[in-house]
Amino acid sequence: MLMTPDKAAKRSDESFIIQTRDERDLDRILCANVQAVIYHPPTLPGWLLDLAATVQSGSFQVPRTILTNVRRDDIANWLDANLPAQELTPAVRGALMEDVAAMSDRLGRLSNVTRFALRIFTGAPNTECGFHVDTVAPGAPAFGLLRVYNGAGTQYVDPANVTSMRDFYRYLSRRERLKRELDFASRDSDQHSRNSIEGEIRRLDQDFDFLRRPGETRVAPAGSIVAFRHLDLSLHWSDHPKGLAWIHCSPMEGEPRLVVNITPARASSRFVRREASETAP
């Protein structure tokens, strides 16, 4: 049963992250107080290792793309039309398409929706985004699936280590303000201001004053599949229970990665949006 924002906000502040070798445990994201389920395959399939090598070499590239309010078949058709065909063998390309389709099938079964939002891209990690939470439209099922196919994994924090969401949003607000200031300084070619702001961002990303133990963060490794809580947009910036959203962060350096994120969608129209910059998981 899906909870309304009001009911969700009253949930216990206690939440858990499950680590598992059993893919069926991804369904446990439906359990009360489970913030995320991280499935570690016992062994990675050969096609994924071949894909990883091609992505890291830079020969396989997918523009940062968001498909909104699309059906499973729309996702499959888009992948078939847009995934580079020459850089992968037909078997590897087909396995990737089947893997994304399986993620949408699982999410559809768990969320009881037939339309999704899909985010897909290849790209090298950067410092654009620090720790954050993913959101969904008010009333949409508040969880999704993430797979990083290669490279550095996704950093996250134990909810018990978070002091409060108020403290987290104070960090997030300050980082977003600094990022805007950095963008202005870059446009004005003000190198002195840019160096100063970059130093502030680095300090902010090292101190993590929203954590009880700032040096304690964790990583969901590449190849794993993560089912995780998204936040109803109406609760964003509020001091809601910590268990309602997975606080995570993209790596800030490393080789190019392929990332796929699928969430339920409840929108009135279908469209595709491509952006030069987008928060990455």
Side-chain angles (χ1 to χ4, degrees):
M1 177 182 296
L2 298 176
M3 286 184 285
T4 65
D6 287 343
K7 290 182 179 178
K10 296 177 182 178
R11 283 178 49 172
S12 168
D13 211 26
E14 182 178 333
S15 58
F16 308 94
I17 294 175
I18 297 171
Q19 308 273 352
T20 181
R21 293 282 187 178
D22 188 340
E23 189 172 1
R24 295 172 296 182
D25 284 336
L26 288 168
D27 292 9
R28 296 174 67 185
I29 192 61
L30 297 179
C31 297
N33 295 346
V34 172
Q35 187 186 71
V37 181
I38 304 174
Y39 162 59
H40 304 261
T43 58
L44 295 178
W47 68 264
L48 195 151
L49 300 177
D50 292 342
L51 172 66
T54 309
V55 173
Q56 288 169 199
S57 72
S59 57
F60 179 85
Q61 298 183 18
V62 179
R64 195 176 295 264
T65 303
I66 299 175
L67 282 68
T68 300
N69 197 34
V70 291
R71 296 183 183 274
R72 182 223 197 249
D73 289 347
D74 298 323
I75 293 174
N77 291 337
W78 187 92
L79 293 171
D80 191 35
N82 290 274
L83 289 183
Q86 296 181 342
E87 289 74 10
L88 300 177
T89 66
V92 172
R93 189 174 187 269
L96 173 58
M97 292 176 60
E98 289 177 7
D99 192 65
V100 176
M103 289 174 62
S104 62
D105 288 341
R106 178 182 296 276
L107 186 60
R109 174 173 56 79
L110 292 176
S111 62
N112 196 32
V113 301
T114 59
R115 291 186 176 273
F116 310 92
L118 177 136
R119 182 157 54 98
I120 180 171
F121 65 92
T122 57
N126 55 54
T127 59
E128 284 289 314
C129 177
F131 276 104
H132 62 279
V133 298
D134 286 7
T135 60
V136 293
F143 55 88
L145 296 174
L146 166 71
R147 191 166 206 181
V148 176
Y149 286 84
N150 67 287
T154 302
Q155 192 176 8
Y156 67 96
V157 299
D158 188 326
N161 193 20
V162 177
T163 55
S164 71
M165 292 307 296
R166 180 185 293 108
D167 291 340
F168 168 71
Y169 285 128
R170 186 179 299 114
Y171 153 86
L172 182 61
S173 176
R174 185 180 176 196
R175 198 184 193 284
E176 290 189 351
R177 176 180 58 79
L178 288 171
K179 184 59 179 63
R180 288 193 296 270
E181 292 177 1
L182 181 60
D183 291 341
F184 285 128
S186 298
R187 285 196 291 268
D188 294 339
S189 300
D190 186 344
Q191 190 61 45
H192 177 74
S193 294
R194 180 172 177 172
N195 291 342
S196 176
I197 297 167
E198 287 176 341
E200 287 190 62
I201 292 175
R202 282 194 298 271
R203 286 190 292 273
L204 193 63
D205 287 341
Q206 291 170 354
D207 294 342
F208 297 134
D209 56 8
F210 62 92
L211 296 180
R212 302 181 194 281
R213 300 173 298 281
E216 184 180 298
T217 60
R218 303 178 180 182
V219 174
S224 61
I225 300 175
V226 185
F228 65 103
R229 294 284 174 188
H230 291 41
L231 185 69
D232 187 296
L233 188 58
S234 66
L235 297 175
H236 202 239
W237 301 112
S238 70
D239 192 22
H240 56 77
K242 294 181 291 185
L244 293 185
W246 191 50
I247 299 175
H248 60 286
C249 178
S250 301
M252 296 190 179
E253 57 184 16
E255 298 174 308
R257 310 181 305 156
L258 170 63
V259 179
V260 173
N261 183 204
I262 304 179
T263 56
R266 288 183 176 175
S268 59
S269 61
R270 174 190 170 198
F271 63 95
V272 176
R273 182 171 77 248
R274 290 191 175 184
E275 302 181 352
S277 176
E278 175 71 19
T279 296

Short mmCIF file of all heavy atoms in Angstrom, two decimals, residues 7 12 17 38 52 61 81 87 103 112 115 118 138 144-145 149-150 154 164 187 192 195 262 264:
data_model
loop_
_atom_site.label_atom_id
_atom_site.label_comp_id
_atom_site.label_asym_id
_atom_site.label_seq_id
_atom_site.Cartn_x
_atom_site.Cartn_y
_atom_site.Cartn_z
N LYS A 7 1.14 10.53 5.95
CA LYS A 7 1.40 9.29 6.67
C LYS A 7 2.89 8.97 6.66
O LYS A 7 3.43 8.50 7.65
CB LYS A 7 0.61 8.14 6.04
CG LYS A 7 -0.89 8.23 6.27
CD LYS A 7 -1.58 7.03 5.67
CE LYS A 7 -3.10 7.08 5.92
NZ LYS A 7 -3.79 5.93 5.30
N SER A 12 8.42 6.03 11.63
CA SER A 12 9.53 6.03 12.57
C SER A 12 10.78 6.56 11.91
O SER A 12 10.99 6.39 10.71
CB SER A 12 9.78 4.60 13.07
OG SER A 12 11.01 4.52 13.75
N ILE A 17 19.41 -0.24 5.91
CA ILE A 17 19.91 -0.52 4.57
C ILE A 17 20.30 -2.00 4.54
O ILE A 17 21.06 -2.47 5.39
CB ILE A 17 21.10 0.37 4.22
CG1 ILE A 17 20.64 1.84 4.13
CG2 ILE A 17 21.75 -0.06 2.90
CD1 ILE A 17 21.77 2.83 3.90
N ILE A 38 20.68 -3.09 -1.34
CA ILE A 38 21.80 -3.12 -2.27
C ILE A 38 22.10 -4.57 -2.60
O ILE A 38 22.56 -5.35 -1.74
CB ILE A 38 23.04 -2.43 -1.67
CG1 ILE A 38 22.69 -0.99 -1.27
CG2 ILE A 38 24.20 -2.44 -2.67
CD1 ILE A 38 23.81 -0.26 -0.54
N ALA A 52 31.79 -2.67 -19.49
CA ALA A 52 32.58 -1.77 -18.65
C ALA A 52 33.85 -1.33 -19.37
O ALA A 52 34.22 -0.14 -19.34
CB ALA A 52 32.93 -2.44 -17.33
N GLN A 61 29.41 5.81 -25.71
CA GLN A 61 28.91 7.00 -25.05
C GLN A 61 27.41 7.16 -25.28
O GLN A 61 26.93 6.91 -26.39
CB GLN A 61 29.63 8.26 -25.56
CG GLN A 61 31.12 8.26 -25.29
CD GLN A 61 31.79 9.54 -25.75
OE1 GLN A 61 31.15 10.55 -25.98
NE2 GLN A 61 33.11 9.50 -25.88
N ALA A 81 17.05 2.35 -30.51
CA ALA A 81 17.33 3.40 -31.50
C ALA A 81 18.53 4.25 -31.13
O ALA A 81 19.14 4.86 -32.02
CB ALA A 81 16.10 4.29 -31.66
N GLU A 87 29.99 -0.02 -31.27
CA GLU A 87 30.99 -0.16 -30.22
C GLU A 87 30.81 -1.42 -29.39
O GLU A 87 31.73 -1.84 -28.68
CB GLU A 87 30.94 1.06 -29.29
CG GLU A 87 31.47 2.34 -29.91
CD GLU A 87 30.52 2.95 -30.93
OE1 GLU A 87 29.37 2.47 -31.00
OE2 GLU A 87 30.92 3.89 -31.64
N MET A 103 14.84 -4.28 -15.11
CA MET A 103 14.69 -3.30 -14.03
C MET A 103 13.32 -2.62 -14.10
O MET A 103 12.65 -2.43 -13.08
CB MET A 103 15.81 -2.27 -14.12
CG MET A 103 17.18 -2.80 -13.73
SD MET A 103 18.52 -1.59 -14.01
CE MET A 103 18.06 -0.27 -12.91
N ASN A 112 3.30 -0.98 -9.07
CA ASN A 112 1.99 -1.08 -9.69
C ASN A 112 1.71 0.11 -10.62
O ASN A 112 0.59 0.63 -10.68
CB ASN A 112 0.88 -1.18 -8.63
CG ASN A 112 -0.43 -1.68 -9.22
OD1 ASN A 112 -0.44 -2.46 -10.17
ND2 ASN A 112 -1.55 -1.23 -8.67
N ARG A 115 4.03 3.43 -16.19
CA ARG A 115 4.83 4.49 -16.80
C ARG A 115 5.98 4.86 -15.87
O ARG A 115 5.84 4.82 -14.64
CB ARG A 115 3.98 5.71 -17.11
CG ARG A 115 2.98 5.46 -18.24
CD ARG A 115 2.24 6.72 -18.64
NE ARG A 115 1.36 6.48 -19.77
CZ ARG A 115 1.73 6.55 -21.04
NH1 ARG A 115 2.98 6.88 -21.34
NH2 ARG A 115 0.87 6.32 -22.01
N LEU A 118 13.09 7.42 -16.89
CA LEU A 118 14.39 6.76 -17.02
C LEU A 118 15.46 7.82 -17.24
O LEU A 118 15.30 8.71 -18.07
CB LEU A 118 14.40 5.76 -18.17
CG LEU A 118 15.76 5.07 -18.42
CD1 LEU A 118 15.58 3.58 -18.66
CD2 LEU A 118 16.49 5.70 -19.60
N PRO A 138 4.74 14.47 -6.23
CA PRO A 138 3.81 14.15 -5.13
C PRO A 138 2.82 13.08 -5.54
O PRO A 138 2.20 13.13 -6.60
CB PRO A 138 3.12 15.49 -4.87
CG PRO A 138 4.12 16.52 -5.28
CD PRO A 138 4.81 15.92 -6.49
N GLY A 144 12.86 3.84 -6.32
CA GLY A 144 13.31 3.57 -7.68
C GLY A 144 14.47 2.61 -7.67
O GLY A 144 14.90 2.12 -6.61
N LEU A 145 15.01 2.33 -8.86
CA LEU A 145 16.12 1.41 -9.02
C LEU A 145 17.29 2.12 -9.69
O LEU A 145 17.10 2.93 -10.60
CB LEU A 145 15.71 0.20 -9.87
CG LEU A 145 14.63 -0.72 -9.28
CD1 LEU A 145 14.24 -1.78 -10.30
CD2 LEU A 145 15.12 -1.38 -8.00
N TYR A 149 27.00 0.67 -13.91
CA TYR A 149 27.51 -0.54 -14.56
C TYR A 149 29.03 -0.71 -14.45
O TYR A 149 29.53 -1.82 -14.64
CB TYR A 149 27.09 -0.55 -16.03
CG TYR A 149 25.63 -0.87 -16.21
CD1 TYR A 149 24.66 0.12 -16.10
CD2 TYR A 149 25.21 -2.17 -16.46
CE1 TYR A 149 23.31 -0.18 -16.24
CE2 TYR A 149 23.86 -2.48 -16.59
CZ TYR A 149 22.92 -1.47 -16.48
OH TYR A 149 21.59 -1.77 -16.61
N ASN A 150 29.75 0.35 -14.18
CA ASN A 150 31.21 0.23 -14.13
C ASN A 150 31.80 1.42 -13.38
O ASN A 150 31.11 2.40 -13.09
CB ASN A 150 31.79 0.18 -15.54
CG ASN A 150 31.60 1.50 -16.27
OD1 ASN A 150 30.50 1.86 -16.68
ND2 ASN A 150 32.68 2.26 -16.42
N THR A 154 28.58 4.25 -5.95
CA THR A 154 27.82 5.37 -5.38
C THR A 154 28.06 5.44 -3.88
O THR A 154 27.86 4.46 -3.16
CB THR A 154 26.32 5.19 -5.66
OG1 THR A 154 26.12 5.11 -7.07
CG2 THR A 154 25.52 6.35 -5.09
N SER A 164 20.33 14.82 11.65
CA SER A 164 18.92 15.15 11.38
C SER A 164 18.82 15.59 9.94
O SER A 164 19.81 16.01 9.32
CB SER A 164 18.41 16.26 12.31
OG SER A 164 19.00 17.51 11.96
N ARG A 187 31.79 32.15 -15.19
CA ARG A 187 31.34 32.95 -16.32
C ARG A 187 32.06 34.30 -16.40
O ARG A 187 32.31 34.84 -17.48
CB ARG A 187 29.83 33.16 -16.25
CG ARG A 187 29.02 31.94 -16.64
CD ARG A 187 27.58 32.32 -16.93
NE ARG A 187 26.88 32.73 -15.73
CZ ARG A 187 26.18 31.91 -14.95
NH1 ARG A 187 26.12 30.62 -15.24
NH2 ARG A 187 25.55 32.36 -13.88
N HIS A 192 40.38 34.11 -8.99
CA HIS A 192 40.59 34.22 -7.54
C HIS A 192 39.34 33.77 -6.78
O HIS A 192 39.42 32.97 -5.84
CB HIS A 192 40.94 35.66 -7.17
CG HIS A 192 41.10 35.85 -5.69
ND1 HIS A 192 42.20 35.40 -4.98
CD2 HIS A 192 40.27 36.45 -4.77
CE1 HIS A 192 42.06 35.71 -3.70
NE2 HIS A 192 40.89 36.34 -3.55
N ASN A 195 38.80 29.95 -7.15
CA ASN A 195 39.66 29.14 -6.27
C ASN A 195 39.15 29.15 -4.84
O ASN A 195 39.16 28.12 -4.15
CB ASN A 195 41.10 29.67 -6.32
CG ASN A 195 41.77 29.42 -7.65
OD1 ASN A 195 41.32 28.59 -8.44
ND2 ASN A 195 42.85 30.16 -7.92
N ILE A 262 15.81 4.29 -12.78
CA ILE A 262 14.41 4.18 -13.21
C ILE A 262 13.52 4.45 -12.01
O ILE A 262 13.70 3.86 -10.94
CB ILE A 262 14.10 2.80 -13.79
CG1 ILE A 262 15.04 2.46 -14.94
CG2 ILE A 262 12.65 2.73 -14.28
CD1 ILE A 262 14.80 1.09 -15.55
N PRO A 264 9.16 5.39 -10.85
CA PRO A 264 7.77 5.48 -11.31
C PRO A 264 7.44 6.90 -11.72
O PRO A 264 7.99 7.86 -11.19
CB PRO A 264 6.95 5.05 -10.07
CG PRO A 264 7.92 4.37 -9.17
CD PRO A 264 9.24 5.01 -9.43
#
